[in-house]
Amino acid sequence: MAHHLLEGAKQSARARDADRLAWYRRTTVRDLTHLSAGPHIVLSPCPADLLRSEISETAYYLIGPDTNPSPPEALGLVRAAIAFATEHGFGTLLTQHAPVICLLNRRRLDETLHSWALTRLPGTVFTDYTAHPEVLARDLIHEAAHNWLNDALAAYDVSLPADVNFFSPWRGTPRPIYGFLHACWAFSLTVMYARKARRSATGAVAPFLDAHLRQQAVQFAATAECLDQALAYVPANEIRERIGRAVGKVVGPP
């Protein structure tokens, strides 16, 4: 949340908006509890309130003086999703690496769900959602995994070469090591979660998770020959072994 306040203050100063800058300077985390669902801040901005910058076309949203609490149904959905994630072993990941959850567009299960995270707002997750908390939990885990890896790479001062590429089956195109390893890591956690969640899933969620697992099995099979080569570029043993173990768990039998 401090990143939201800092980024907002910076933008307000550049725009010479004294009133908005004053709000960002005096506001603390304690002042934002009205936006929370347990340990998480939950945001439900209008599409028109999303921002873009000159350095990235990826949309984002900043907490500000005009931010309203999310509706009760959104808070309930997030609480239920966090409960599912916690039940299956991912509660700490979400608490530490997805403390700010920004719900975007409500979709059907048969529609594409978009989600992302930004390095400028560590700990914030932006995601579309459905009426099913089991599915929201999957996408929160995926984006929290990206935030975790960004923090880990920064903590160990890891710099990956930008000119070495590996084919990413998730994008269907060669990607730099950074993006390739991010995909391997984040999708491995969604597979672990989906395998556990599938055991108790009912209704439309069950075939949805089945389809996710089938799709990921194909994707990970396509990375088998180059993952070790990509991991060799990571000098930090802890990160290299963590990613390797995670992928090893999902390429084997459930």
Side-chain angles (χ1 to χ4, degrees), residues 173-196:
T173 185
R175 297 196 71 198
I177 295 174
Y178 175 85
F180 175 79
L181 291 179
H182 257 284
C184 290
W185 167 247
F187 280 109
S188 68
L189 296 195
T190 69
V191 170
M192 291 183 205
Y193 164 77
R195 284 178 174 175
K196 295 177 179 179

Side-chain angles (χ1 to χ4, degrees), residues 58 82 116 146 166 189-190 215 237:
T58 304
I82 293 168
W116 61 88
H146 285 308
F166 292 92
L189 296 195
T190 69
Q215 180 188 55
N237 291 336

Side-chain angles (χ1 to χ4, degrees), residues 75-213:
L75 297 177
L77 181 69
V78 169
R79 289 191 183 99
I82 293 168
F84 275 111
T86 301
E87 177 184 353
H88 298 305
F90 295 93
T92 299
L93 176 71
L94 295 193
T95 299
Q96 295 181 349
H97 298 282
V100 181
I101 298 169
C102 189
L103 298 179
L104 300 173
N105 304 296
R106 178 161 176 159
R107 306 288 192 189
R108 301 188 310 267
L109 277 179
D110 61 345
E111 293 182 299
T112 300
L113 298 171
H114 298 285
S115 65
W116 61 88
L118 299 173
T119 54
R120 76 168 67 182
L121 294 173
T124 295
V125 167
F126 299 87
T127 184
D128 291 341
Y129 62 100
T130 72
H132 306 279
E134 303 97 323
V135 177
L136 178 58
R138 181 202 65 166
D139 295 336
L140 294 179
I141 290 167
H142 181 96
E143 298 305 332
H146 285 308
N147 286 334
W148 180 92
L149 184 53
N150 284 334
D151 285 353
L153 292 173
Y156 284 93
D157 196 24
V158 173
S159 179
L160 298 172
D163 57 346
V164 179
N165 298 319
F166 292 92
F167 180 79
S168 171
W170 294 278
R171 293 287 183 90
T173 185
R175 297 196 71 198
I177 295 174
Y178 175 85
F180 175 79
L181 291 179
H182 257 284
C184 290
W185 167 247
F187 280 109
S188 68
L189 296 195
T190 69
V191 170
M192 291 183 205
Y193 164 77
R195 284 178 174 175
K196 295 177 179 179
R198 175 61 183 88
R199 297 168 189 165
S200 58
T202 59
V205 173
F208 179 90
L209 293 177
D210 285 338
H212 179 69
L213 291 172

